[in-house]
mmCIF file of all heavy atoms in Angstrom:
data_model
loop_
_atom_site.group_PDB
_atom_site.id
_atom_site.type_symbol
_atom_site.label_atom_id
_atom_site.label_comp_id
_atom_site.label_asym_id
_atom_site.label_seq_id
_atom_site.Cartn_x
_atom_site.Cartn_y
_atom_site.Cartn_z
ATOM 1 N N ILE A 49 90.151 101.938 110.116
ATOM 2 C CA ILE A 49 90.369 102.596 111.439
ATOM 3 C C ILE A 49 91.082 101.617 112.338
ATOM 4 O O ILE A 49 90.551 100.570 112.630
ATOM 5 C CB ILE A 49 89.107 103.045 112.101
ATOM 6 C CG1 ILE A 49 88.361 104.099 111.196
ATOM 7 C CG2 ILE A 49 89.394 103.705 113.418
ATOM 8 C CD1 ILE A 49 87.095 104.608 111.753
ATOM 9 N N ASP A 50 92.326 101.942 112.698
ATOM 10 C CA ASP A 50 93.164 101.105 113.563
ATOM 11 C C ASP A 50 93.463 101.891 114.824
ATOM 12 O O ASP A 50 94.430 102.749 114.886
ATOM 13 C CB ASP A 50 94.486 100.771 112.781
ATOM 14 C CG ASP A 50 95.313 99.770 113.529
ATOM 15 O OD1 ASP A 50 94.808 99.218 114.565
ATOM 16 O OD2 ASP A 50 96.416 99.512 113.131
ATOM 17 N N ILE A 51 92.644 101.752 115.860
ATOM 18 C CA ILE A 51 92.727 102.534 117.079
ATOM 19 C C ILE A 51 93.690 101.962 118.119
ATOM 20 O O ILE A 51 94.010 100.702 118.038
ATOM 21 C CB ILE A 51 91.366 102.740 117.686
ATOM 22 C CG1 ILE A 51 90.744 101.432 118.224
ATOM 23 C CG2 ILE A 51 90.420 103.418 116.779
ATOM 24 C CD1 ILE A 51 89.524 101.569 119.072
ATOM 25 N N ASN A 52 94.118 102.739 119.073
ATOM 26 C CA ASN A 52 94.928 102.258 120.140
ATOM 27 C C ASN A 52 94.345 102.888 121.418
ATOM 28 O O ASN A 52 94.622 104.033 121.811
ATOM 29 C CB ASN A 52 96.368 102.718 119.943
ATOM 30 C CG ASN A 52 97.298 102.215 121.082
ATOM 31 O OD1 ASN A 52 96.910 101.318 121.811
ATOM 32 N ND2 ASN A 52 98.429 102.796 121.211
ATOM 33 N N ILE A 53 93.488 102.129 122.133
ATOM 34 C CA ILE A 53 92.830 102.622 123.327
ATOM 35 C C ILE A 53 93.637 102.332 124.589
ATOM 36 O O ILE A 53 94.496 101.507 124.572
ATOM 37 C CB ILE A 53 91.376 102.040 123.415
ATOM 38 C CG1 ILE A 53 91.459 100.493 123.669
ATOM 39 C CG2 ILE A 53 90.562 102.327 122.181
ATOM 40 C CD1 ILE A 53 90.112 99.943 124.020
ATOM 41 N N ALA A 54 93.333 103.162 125.626
ATOM 42 C CA ALA A 54 93.962 102.940 126.882
ATOM 43 C C ALA A 54 92.963 102.403 127.900
ATOM 44 O O ALA A 54 91.894 103.020 128.150
ATOM 45 C CB ALA A 54 94.566 104.288 127.380
ATOM 46 N N VAL A 55 93.248 101.256 128.475
ATOM 47 C CA VAL A 55 92.378 100.699 129.509
ATOM 48 C C VAL A 55 93.274 100.251 130.667
ATOM 49 O O VAL A 55 94.510 100.178 130.548
ATOM 50 C CB VAL A 55 91.625 99.450 129.008
ATOM 51 C CG1 VAL A 55 90.706 99.881 127.817
ATOM 52 C CG2 VAL A 55 92.540 98.299 128.555
ATOM 53 N N SER A 56 92.661 99.993 131.853
ATOM 54 C CA SER A 56 93.394 99.539 132.962
ATOM 55 C C SER A 56 92.462 98.586 133.777
ATOM 56 O O SER A 56 91.341 98.297 133.388
ATOM 57 C CB SER A 56 93.793 100.739 133.853
ATOM 58 O OG SER A 56 92.702 101.317 134.423
ATOM 59 N N THR A 57 93.005 98.140 134.924
ATOM 60 C CA THR A 57 92.141 97.302 135.827
ATOM 61 C C THR A 57 91.053 98.085 136.419
ATOM 62 O O THR A 57 90.085 97.423 136.978
ATOM 63 C CB THR A 57 93.080 96.657 136.875
ATOM 64 O OG1 THR A 57 93.734 97.682 137.624
ATOM 65 C CG2 THR A 57 94.096 95.756 136.305
ATOM 66 N N TRP A 58 91.062 99.375 136.380
ATOM 67 C CA TRP A 58 90.006 100.223 136.907
ATOM 68 C C TRP A 58 88.890 100.473 135.817
ATOM 69 O O TRP A 58 87.844 101.033 136.157
ATOM 70 C CB TRP A 58 90.566 101.508 137.370
ATOM 71 C CG TRP A 58 91.406 101.378 138.596
ATOM 72 C CD1 TRP A 58 92.777 101.313 138.646
ATOM 73 C CD2 TRP A 58 90.953 101.244 139.941
ATOM 74 N NE1 TRP A 58 93.231 101.171 139.917
ATOM 75 C CE2 TRP A 58 92.128 101.126 140.774
ATOM 76 C CE3 TRP A 58 89.776 101.225 140.575
ATOM 77 C CZ2 TRP A 58 92.081 100.934 142.124
ATOM 78 C CZ3 TRP A 58 89.690 101.050 141.948
ATOM 79 C CH2 TRP A 58 90.862 100.938 142.700
ATOM 80 N N THR A 59 89.132 100.156 134.600
ATOM 81 C CA THR A 59 88.119 100.357 133.531
ATOM 82 C C THR A 59 86.925 99.494 133.767
ATOM 83 O O THR A 59 87.047 98.280 134.065
ATOM 84 C CB THR A 59 88.738 100.075 132.184
ATOM 85 O OG1 THR A 59 89.918 100.878 132.006
ATOM 86 C CG2 THR A 59 87.706 100.341 131.080
ATOM 87 N N ARG A 60 85.768 100.027 133.622
ATOM 88 C CA ARG A 60 84.503 99.275 133.744
ATOM 89 C C ARG A 60 83.699 99.239 132.524
ATOM 90 O O ARG A 60 82.881 98.320 132.330
ATOM 91 C CB ARG A 60 83.701 99.829 134.928
ATOM 92 C CG ARG A 60 84.369 99.690 136.314
ATOM 93 C CD ARG A 60 84.482 98.255 136.650
ATOM 94 N NE ARG A 60 85.239 98.015 137.908
ATOM 95 C CZ ARG A 60 86.555 97.791 137.967
ATOM 96 N NH1 ARG A 60 87.286 97.693 136.890
ATOM 97 N NH2 ARG A 60 87.092 97.619 139.134
ATOM 98 N N LEU A 61 83.799 100.271 131.637
ATOM 99 C CA LEU A 61 82.999 100.311 130.446
ATOM 100 C C LEU A 61 83.746 101.065 129.368
ATOM 101 O O LEU A 61 84.317 102.078 129.641
ATOM 102 C CB LEU A 61 81.664 100.990 130.713
ATOM 103 C CG LEU A 61 80.732 101.217 129.513
ATOM 104 C CD1 LEU A 61 80.200 99.864 128.931
ATOM 105 C CD2 LEU A 61 79.567 102.130 129.877
ATOM 106 N N VAL A 62 83.706 100.589 128.185
ATOM 107 C CA VAL A 62 84.263 101.264 126.976
ATOM 108 C C VAL A 62 83.183 101.327 125.961
ATOM 109 O O VAL A 62 82.650 100.361 125.566
ATOM 110 C CB VAL A 62 85.503 100.557 126.421
ATOM 111 C CG1 VAL A 62 85.973 101.269 125.114
ATOM 112 C CG2 VAL A 62 86.601 100.538 127.458
ATOM 113 N N LEU A 63 82.876 102.609 125.590
ATOM 114 C CA LEU A 63 81.854 102.831 124.593
ATOM 115 C C LEU A 63 82.567 103.288 123.290
ATOM 116 O O LEU A 63 83.189 104.330 123.357
ATOM 117 C CB LEU A 63 80.793 103.907 125.047
ATOM 118 C CG LEU A 63 79.676 104.229 124.071
ATOM 119 C CD1 LEU A 63 78.879 103.007 123.769
ATOM 120 C CD2 LEU A 63 78.804 105.386 124.603
ATOM 121 N N VAL A 64 82.422 102.579 122.212
ATOM 122 C CA VAL A 64 83.219 102.885 120.985
ATOM 123 C C VAL A 64 82.244 103.103 119.868
ATOM 124 O O VAL A 64 81.273 102.286 119.679
ATOM 125 C CB VAL A 64 84.161 101.704 120.656
ATOM 126 C CG1 VAL A 64 84.953 102.030 119.359
ATOM 127 C CG2 VAL A 64 85.155 101.508 121.839
ATOM 128 N N ASN A 65 82.463 104.118 119.065
ATOM 129 C CA ASN A 65 81.700 104.332 117.848
ATOM 130 C C ASN A 65 82.680 104.566 116.757
ATOM 131 O O ASN A 65 83.710 105.110 116.963
ATOM 132 C CB ASN A 65 80.791 105.539 118.023
ATOM 133 C CG ASN A 65 79.751 105.649 116.897
ATOM 134 O OD1 ASN A 65 79.520 104.699 116.164
ATOM 135 N ND2 ASN A 65 79.164 106.838 116.781
ATOM 136 N N THR A 66 82.294 104.196 115.541
ATOM 137 C CA THR A 66 83.174 104.370 114.372
ATOM 138 C C THR A 66 82.447 105.115 113.292
ATOM 139 O O THR A 66 81.284 104.823 113.029
ATOM 140 C CB THR A 66 83.683 103.046 113.817
ATOM 141 O OG1 THR A 66 82.599 102.229 113.427
ATOM 142 C CG2 THR A 66 84.494 102.221 114.862
ATOM 143 N N ILE A 67 83.112 106.076 112.720
ATOM 144 C CA ILE A 67 82.621 106.818 111.528
ATOM 145 C C ILE A 67 83.614 106.845 110.434
ATOM 146 O O ILE A 67 84.792 107.144 110.674
ATOM 147 C CB ILE A 67 82.236 108.289 111.962
ATOM 148 C CG1 ILE A 67 81.252 108.296 113.086
ATOM 149 C CG2 ILE A 67 81.764 109.057 110.779
ATOM 150 C CD1 ILE A 67 80.917 109.705 113.568
ATOM 151 N N TYR A 68 83.222 106.352 109.307
ATOM 152 C CA TYR A 68 84.069 106.409 108.068
ATOM 153 C C TYR A 68 83.481 107.348 107.090
ATOM 154 O O TYR A 68 82.319 107.154 106.694
ATOM 155 C CB TYR A 68 84.268 105.001 107.541
ATOM 156 C CG TYR A 68 84.963 104.931 106.267
ATOM 157 C CD1 TYR A 68 86.279 105.342 106.158
ATOM 158 C CD2 TYR A 68 84.329 104.618 105.093
ATOM 159 C CE1 TYR A 68 86.932 105.340 104.911
ATOM 160 C CE2 TYR A 68 84.950 104.538 103.861
ATOM 161 C CZ TYR A 68 86.255 104.920 103.794
ATOM 162 O OH TYR A 68 86.963 104.938 102.594
ATOM 163 N N PHE A 69 84.189 108.359 106.761
ATOM 164 C CA PHE A 69 83.741 109.369 105.789
ATOM 165 C C PHE A 69 84.488 109.236 104.453
ATOM 166 O O PHE A 69 85.723 109.232 104.448
ATOM 167 C CB PHE A 69 83.901 110.733 106.344
ATOM 168 C CG PHE A 69 83.639 111.836 105.301
ATOM 169 C CD1 PHE A 69 82.340 112.064 104.953
ATOM 170 C CD2 PHE A 69 84.646 112.564 104.752
ATOM 171 C CE1 PHE A 69 82.033 113.092 104.031
ATOM 172 C CE2 PHE A 69 84.402 113.570 103.794
ATOM 173 C CZ PHE A 69 83.115 113.809 103.445
ATOM 174 N N LYS A 70 83.745 109.055 103.388
ATOM 175 C CA LYS A 70 84.383 109.028 102.073
ATOM 176 C C LYS A 70 83.740 110.083 101.211
ATOM 177 O O LYS A 70 82.542 110.005 100.798
ATOM 178 C CB LYS A 70 84.180 107.677 101.436
ATOM 179 C CG LYS A 70 84.876 107.479 100.020
ATOM 180 C CD LYS A 70 84.709 106.123 99.470
ATOM 181 C CE LYS A 70 85.411 105.999 98.131
ATOM 182 N NZ LYS A 70 85.242 104.657 97.505
ATOM 183 N N GLY A 71 84.487 111.166 100.933
ATOM 184 C CA GLY A 71 83.934 112.270 100.158
ATOM 185 C C GLY A 71 84.834 112.582 98.936
ATOM 186 O O GLY A 71 85.920 112.118 98.874
ATOM 187 N N SER A 72 84.298 113.316 98.100
ATOM 188 C CA SER A 72 85.075 113.843 96.933
ATOM 189 C C SER A 72 85.420 115.263 97.074
ATOM 190 O O SER A 72 84.630 116.055 97.579
ATOM 191 C CB SER A 72 84.224 113.659 95.629
ATOM 192 O OG SER A 72 83.887 112.342 95.409
ATOM 193 N N TRP A 73 86.708 115.599 96.756
ATOM 194 C CA TRP A 73 87.119 116.990 96.885
ATOM 195 C C TRP A 73 86.316 117.842 95.896
ATOM 196 O O TRP A 73 86.000 117.453 94.817
ATOM 197 C CB TRP A 73 88.606 117.116 96.493
ATOM 198 C CG TRP A 73 89.482 116.402 97.434
ATOM 199 C CD1 TRP A 73 90.327 115.281 97.178
ATOM 200 C CD2 TRP A 73 89.802 116.690 98.772
ATOM 201 N NE1 TRP A 73 91.028 114.900 98.215
ATOM 202 C CE2 TRP A 73 90.749 115.772 99.249
ATOM 203 C CE3 TRP A 73 89.324 117.719 99.660
ATOM 204 C CZ2 TRP A 73 91.194 115.829 100.568
ATOM 205 C CZ3 TRP A 73 89.850 117.706 101.025
ATOM 206 C CH2 TRP A 73 90.748 116.785 101.407
ATOM 207 N N LYS A 74 86.021 119.061 96.296
ATOM 208 C CA LYS A 74 85.450 120.063 95.423
ATOM 209 C C LYS A 74 86.242 120.305 94.259
ATOM 210 O O LYS A 74 85.782 120.513 93.117
ATOM 211 C CB LYS A 74 85.000 121.302 96.190
ATOM 212 C CG LYS A 74 84.102 122.220 95.428
ATOM 213 C CD LYS A 74 83.613 123.387 96.327
ATOM 214 C CE LYS A 74 82.615 124.254 95.582
ATOM 215 N NZ LYS A 74 82.072 125.368 96.460
#
Side-chain angles (χ1 to χ4, degrees):
I49 300 178
D50 187 9
I51 64 172
N52 182 16
I53 64 172
V55 300
S56 70
T57 55
W58 292 98
T59 302
R60 293 298 176 262
L61 174 69
V62 175
L63 181 62
V64 179
N65 191 16
T66 60
I67 298 176
Y68 172 66
F69 171 73
K70 183 178 181 180
S72 299
W73 296 112
K74 192 171 182 180

